[in-house]
Amino acid sequence: MKFAIQINEGPYQHQATDTAYHFTKSALEKGHEVSRVFFYHDGVYNSSRITTPPQDDRHIVNRWAELAEAHSLDMVVCVAAAQRRGVVDDGEAERNGKDATNIHPAFRISGLGQLIEAAVEADRLMVFGD
Amino acid sequence: MSKIKKFMYVNRRAPYGTVYALESLEVVLIGAAFDQDVSLAFIGDGVYQLKSDQDSSDSDQKNFSPIYQALGDYDVSKLYVEKESLEERGLTLEELMPLTYEDEDDDWAEKDSIRVVSRDEMAELMDQQDVLFNF
Amino acid sequence: MSILHTVNKSPFEKNSLDECLTHSTDGCAILLLEDGVYAAMQGTNVESAVKDAMASKKVYALGPDIKLRGLSTDRIIDGIEVVDFAGFVDLSESNDKVQAWL
């Protein structure tokens, strides 16, 4: 079965991204396909590579990145939500004249169409939020 | 893309206090280009999104209520508003924005987009969907 | 056509559980997770509402979230099935869509 995952909340503030992570990991372990993980609203903060949690806590960003690498996950950060919140990749920095980037390379910034497309093509859309 | 899916955007949040209403509306607008069978549900505080007379002239937030009035132009013409949710909040249909679309199957006659449904009807409508979006 | 409803809010803070119960139809599945698991416990003032729903709907609760919050599975309302994340995935598969009462 093909799942699409939508995450509406940022890391540490809300459990949504933890639940989404464990659901995604479990689905993959059971042999399902996760066609896309889409980060929306404050969920875009899950992609900040400069995130620095205390050493004894889970590293939510790296954890997503490792899962993505192991399973070739397509992790997409919504461009409109990211721009509002200052989540930036090289392309966005250049287009908007920003002096820094902060997105982890495991994620890519793209449009909302990616969420709709994932919902059209997947068997299930799973939404995790506040 | 082969099969047309029934998409329902479930709106349960009031506008302005949080960004969810605005950002879900942005998904609806983008989604309109995908030619799916789209409807919007307004449940609970979601009905406040459609309140008429939203006025940002004394605020620095953007009044995004005109976007709802443009939905008809995007072929988004099924806005289900829950009767009980209106009543619980002391609201009537007359206090919501008049939203219309032009029905291409009926010589482009102008029709109301808002359809007031009971809670039970809303539950049935949700059952009939293929995908439920929540924000 | 059956829905898996998920409720992740405490019933004492938000109305998500109530919204779920009043918008779900017979034969559906309801999964309590995150702060939603508080609704699965015996002796609360939402217990009777949950039990009423269980007459026609199947209710589940996410085990790791129960344990994390110091709750005991012994004190869960009889008939609520505790599942792990694999069970959550199975429920998402066996129902044909998911409604998240955020």
Side-chain angles (χ1 to χ4, degrees), chain B residues 68-86:
Chain B
Y68 296 96
Q69 289 162 331
L71 287 176
D73 300 334
Y74 287 82
D75 289 330
V76 177
S77 56
K78 288 182 284 193
L79 276 63
Y80 297 107
V81 175
E82 188 174 274
K83 184 169 168 285
E84 288 87 340
S85 297
L86 289 174

Side-chain angles (χ1 to χ4, degrees), chain A residues 6 8-9 40-42 80-81 84-85 112-117 119-123 125 127 129-130, chain B residues 1 3 5 7 9 13 19-28 30-31 34 36 130-135:
Chain A
Q6 176 190 329
N8 294 345
E9 297 302 324
Y40 198 39
H41 304 297
D42 278 3
R84 281 192 181 110
R85 293 166 177 85
L112 276 172
Q114 300 276 301
L115 170 63
I116 306 291
E117 182 190 271
V120 170
E121 292 176 357
D123 299 304
L125 172 68
V127 183
D130 186 14
Chain B
M1 272 167 259
K3 178 180 177 269
K5 285 189 170 181
F7 274 15
Y9 296 91
R13 316 244 198 198
V19 78
Y20 298 106
L22 170 60
E23 288 193 331
S24 60
L25 198 50
E26 290 178 346
V27 179
V28 175
I30 298 292
F34 282 74
Q36 304 296 307
D130 294 310
V131 182
L132 295 153
F133 284 89
N134 284 273
F135 297 98

